[in-house]
Amino acid sequence: MLAEIADIGCDRRRGGYSRHVFDGAERELRGWFADHAARLGLDTETDRNGNVWAWWGTPGPGAVVTGSHLDSVPGGGAFDGPLGVASALTAVGALRARGGTPARPLAVVVFAEEEGGRFGVPCLGSRLLTGAIDAEAARNLRDPEGVTFAEAARAAGLDPARIGPDPEALGRIGTFVELHVEQGRGLIDLGSPVAVGSTVIAHGRWRFTFTGQGNHAGATPLSDRRDPMLPAAATVAAVRRLAAGVPDARATVGRLVPSPGGTNVIASTVDLWLDARVPGGGTQALVDDITAAARAAAADEGCALTVRQESCSDTVAFDDRLRAELGGLLGGVPELATGAGHDAAILAPHVPSAMLYVRNPTGVSHAPEEHAEPADVERGAAALTDVLEHLCR
Ligand code: GLV
Ligand code: MN
Ligand code: MN
């Protein structure tokens, strides 16, 4: 089924896909999803936060909900998100073919802006649904072009005033299950095509803004410079050095934007985004150490520094009972912890939630090389079908 969307949102410059919430490609994918859902006899609705729900049966409490997201990171792979949505549609088709009607409402959901690739906050749709982000703060998020989330939502046909917690939509979810391509090498090492999720690591994003003095690259002696690129570079090195001292920590600078950004211009500001993830409760301590190193480097160059947290999520353990139930149902498949974030982890504090992972033969993800073998994709969809049938009883 992913072949049907292989041409949507190709990124010719970066390779892979760039599909961001409410942009042309993501809207085309929403149309693809609605068409598929209609062919399966599902009724589709978009909630106040831009999440799309396709219902089999009357929407209401106790529903079994599955799904994932259709947006990508910049230059991302074909599977992260769309595999969960396509597998959900495949599973519904398989259940229809098995005959009978689920005893509970069943829905396939597509969450908005899971990657935070446009507005910076990951899992924005599920955070809004559950009230994990303040609605006004979300409305005021800006994309790199300066467009606010409220403006983008309005252009997509939503009412920005209604963005925010949606207890009615949340209250309908009895159980949530998200299928996702694995984003590491866990299933290769375990020798299994499918696993049940156990935990999701704590993760957050911080924006560091270094301010110096924009100036002429040729006419300004080195001794007269306040170049924010220097503390930014020192901070990138400190991130790796300090994270290496914390067991199992991951810390990344994947985006750094000098302004104005000219080859012959000393930057006036540099924005740098830190993605930090430490199992348990250690993320803030690592970020504090990185911040101290950044402040010292900024002071050495006569630059100012501001640090702002853009998102933060605690470690999540999925529902014990549901994990055991699904593991048993699937013949004792292994459990797997992940360093990737997911909408299922945002929902988990509110409703029993679970994840199924499908093996990734290279472990590469958030890159065009991300892959899952067709046979494993089929096994994943078959596992999801069995899980949904079981939960709908
Ligand atoms: C999403 O895939 C994330 O973990 O950043
Ligand atoms: Mn992702
Ligand atoms: Mn994902």
Side-chain angles (χ1 to χ4, degrees):
M1 196 183 289
L2 292 182
E4 296 170 14
I5 55 174
D7 291 336
I8 302 177
C10 297
D11 190 322
R12 289 187 210 300
R13 186 168 68 81
R14 301 181 179 99
Y17 296 97
S18 291
R19 300 158 163 169
H20 300 313
V21 68
F22 302 144
D23 73 3
E26 202 248 11
R27 285 166 81 162
E28 210 177 319
L29 291 173
R30 286 168 181 257
W32 165 83
F33 174 73
D35 288 348
H36 249 286
R39 282 202 294 279
L40 288 166
L42 309 182
D43 297 320
T44 302
E45 64 181 27
T46 301
D47 70 19
R48 58 172 70 186
N49 295 307
N51 307 307
V52 187
W53 305 74
W55 288 92
W56 184 358
T58 309
V64 173
V65 181
T66 184
S68 192
H69 59 98
L70 292 171
D71 65 307
S72 75
V73 294
F79 296 84
D80 178 357
L83 181 65
V85 175
S87 300
L89 293 170
T90 301
V92 169
L95 289 177
R96 280 240 188 259
R98 285 182 193 178
T101 307
R104 301 165 175 280
L106 174 59
V108 180
V109 64
V110 175
F111 284 113
E113 181 76 335
E114 191 268 356
E115 300 287 5
R118 180 170 177 189
F119 290 100
V121 176
C123 301
L124 185 57
S126 56
R127 281 184 208 267
L128 281 164
L129 170 78
T130 56
I133 183 171
D134 176 68
E136 188 58 15
R139 276 191 279 269
N140 290 325
L141 291 170
R142 285 182 191 274
D143 74 4
E145 311 306 321
V147 177
T148 65
F149 182 63
E151 289 163 348
R154 184 183 292 111
L158 299 178
D159 176 358
R162 297 190 69 239
I163 288 169
D166 194 342
E168 196 188 324
L170 181 60
R172 299 185 305 203
I173 309 175
T175 309
F176 179 68
V177 182
E178 178 171 1
L179 179 146
H180 206 280
V181 68
E182 213 233 306
Q183 297 179 280
R185 302 181 52 82
L187 281 172
I188 306 171
D189 296 342
L190 290 166
S192 173
V194 173
V196 172
S198 56
T199 58
V200 171
I201 198 171
H203 57 98
R205 297 181 182 188
W206 287 260
R207 177 179 182 155
F208 288 59
T209 302
F210 297 91
T211 304
Q213 176 60 59
N215 215 330
H216 193 290
T220 316
L222 298 184
S223 56
D224 279 359
R225 298 183 181 203
R226 292 192 295 119
D227 182 349
M229 193 58 92
L230 269 82
T235 301
V236 172
V239 166
R240 171 63 77 89
R241 178 170 46 78
L242 292 167
V246 179
D248 281 331
R250 289 104 207 250
T252 307
V253 177
R255 184 154 68 114
L256 186 151
V257 179
S259 179
T263 304
N264 56 349
V265 181
I266 298 166
S268 51
T269 63
V270 174
D271 284 311
L272 166 165
W273 283 262
L274 167 69
D275 178 310
R277 313 183 188 211
V278 181
T283 307
Q284 190 58 52
L286 174 59
V287 174
D288 288 346
D289 288 349
I290 292 168
T291 302
R295 285 208 189 288
D300 282 351
E301 185 68 11
C303 292
L305 169 64
T306 59
V307 180
R308 198 156 56 85
Q309 184 182 72
E310 293 195 337
S311 68
C312 189
S313 301
D314 291 336
T315 296
V316 165
F318 290 113
D319 188 86
D320 282 339
R321 189 194 53 76
L322 190 56
R323 270 156 66 175
E325 195 176 318
L326 300 195
L329 179 79
L330 299 176
V333 298
E335 289 201 349
L336 195 66
T338 184
H342 296 291
D343 293 305
I346 301 294
L347 295 184
H350 304 273
V351 295
S353 301
M355 288 197 69
L356 299 179
Y357 296 113
V358 172
R359 178 164 54 195
N360 175 336
T362 62
V364 172
S365 185
H366 282 186
E369 295 79 11
E370 179 182 271
H371 188 62
E373 293 294 341
D376 287 352
V377 168
E378 260 182 51
R379 287 178 171 120
L384 183 62
T385 307
D386 291 342
V387 163
L388 296 178
E389 186 173 53
H390 169 78
L391 293 174
C392 281
R393 284 199 183 113

